[in-house]
Amino acid sequence: MDESQRSDGGHRPLVVLDKVNKHFGDLHVLQNIDLTVGEGEVVVVIGPSGSGKSTLCRAINRLETIDDGSISLDGVALPEEGRALATLRADVGMVFQSFNLFAHKTILENVTLGPIKVKKVPRKEAEAEAMRLLERVGVANQAQKYPAQLSGGQQQRVAIARSLAMKPKVMLFDEPTSALDPEMINEVLDVMTSLAHEGMTMIVVTHEMGFARKAANRVVFMADGRIEEEAQPEEFFTNPKSERAKDFLSKIL
Ligand code: ADP
Ligand code: MG
C-alpha cells in the first residue's frame, strides 16, 4: 500500500468520535476526543495506565455511556440502548486482556453461540464457518476441547475467532497480549497482523511496538483522557513531539 493512502484521508470513515466526553465522578476520563478510523485502517492506541484507553474502547462498544459528543459507526450514530444497540454492537468485535471464553462450552460452541443465538444462522452453517475461522487462527484441532484445556495464547486466538464469527465491521483489541506468557504473545500478534493485512478495520490498545510498526497505519497517544499526539508509527517512535510521549517512550522502549 502506498504510504500516502495510509492515513484516514484515503478511506471511508467507519468509526467517528466527535468531541466525546466522559466523567467518572470528578474524573474527566475522556476529554473532547475526536478520532476518525477509516475502513481498513489499523490504529494503535498507546499511553500510560489510567489514561482512558480501555474506557475509549468500551465507549465505542457502548459498554460505557458517554456524557456528550457522538460516536458513529459506518455513518450511524450509536444508540443508547435497545434492539438497535444489540445490532450495532454485533458490528464491533471486542477482544479483551482476559479471554472471557465460556468455560462450560467447547471451543466450537464458543464460536458458534453468537451467530446461532444473535444472528439466527443455522447450526450447520455456523459450525462450518466456525471451523474455517478456527483454522485461520490455528486452533481447529482444539474444536472439541474446553477453554481450560488450551493455553492462554490458544484461548486468545479462539476469542479472536469468536469475534470474527459475528462478521464485525471493526475489531477492538484491549491489551490482548498483556495477560499472556511471553512465548505466546507472538502467536496472537501474528493472527492480528494477518487480519490487519487482510484489510480488517482495527483499533488496538497495545504496547507491542513491533506490532505497531508492522501493522498500524497510525499511532494515537493518550494521556490523562486526551489524545496528545497522532502520527504514523515510525514517526511516532523515532520522533515523538509531546513531552508526555517522549517521557512515556523512554520508559517502555
Ligand atoms: P487505561 O485503559 O488507559 O489504563 P482506563 O480507561 O481503564 O485507563 O481508566 C481510566 C481512568 O478511569 C482510571 O483512572 C480508572 O481508575 C478510571 N476508571 C475506569 N473505569 C472506572 C469506573 N467504572 N468507575 C470509576 N473510575 C473508573
Ligand atoms: Mg486499560
Side-chain angles (χ1 to χ4, degrees), residues 53-55 174-175 205:
K53 306 180 299 296
S54 291
T55 306
D174 190 1
E175 303 207 28
V205 179

Side-chain angles (χ1 to χ4, degrees), residues 133-162:
L133 289 168
L134 289 171
E135 191 76 53
R136 180 167 166 192
V137 302
V139 288
N141 55 350
Q142 313 290 322
Q144 300 308 327
K145 293 189 180 165
Y146 288 85
Q149 295 173 280
L150 272 60
S151 72
Q154 289 173 323
Q155 288 186 58
Q156 194 60 307
R157 286 182 282 146
V158 172
I160 293 172
R162 183 176 61 173

Side-chain angles (χ1 to χ4, degrees), residues 143-237:
Q144 300 308 327
K145 293 189 180 165
Y146 288 85
Q149 295 173 280
L150 272 60
S151 72
Q154 289 173 323
Q155 288 186 58
Q156 194 60 307
R157 286 182 282 146
V158 172
I160 293 172
R162 183 176 61 173
S163 280
L164 292 175
M166 297 299 280
K167 304 205 183 317
K169 290 180 176 167
V170 55
M171 287 281 289
L172 307 180
F173 293 85
D174 190 1
E175 303 207 28
T177 59
S178 53
L180 296 176
D181 292 332
E183 73 273 20
M184 292 170 189
I185 290 176
N186 280 333
E187 65 194 47
V188 172
L189 292 177
D190 287 348
V191 167
M192 292 167 58
T193 302
S194 59
L195 260 185
H197 289 156
E198 286 161 27
M200 176 60 77
T201 308
M202 296 164 63
I203 299 173
V204 183
V205 179
T206 185
H207 295 160
E208 294 290 340
M209 303 303 145
F211 173 80
R213 285 197 147 105
K214 242 189 293 183
N217 303 107
R218 204 159 25 124
V219 171
V220 166
F221 175 71
M222 281 186 79
D224 296 334
R226 272 190 289 267
I227 293 180
E228 282 274 324
E229 192 164 335
E230 287 186 53
Q232 293 195 348
E234 225 30 69
E235 173 70 11
F236 178 76
F237 294 122

Side-chain angles (χ1 to χ4, degrees), residues 76 80 95 100 129:
V76 181
E80 292 296 333
V95 175
N100 292 329
E129 175 65 5

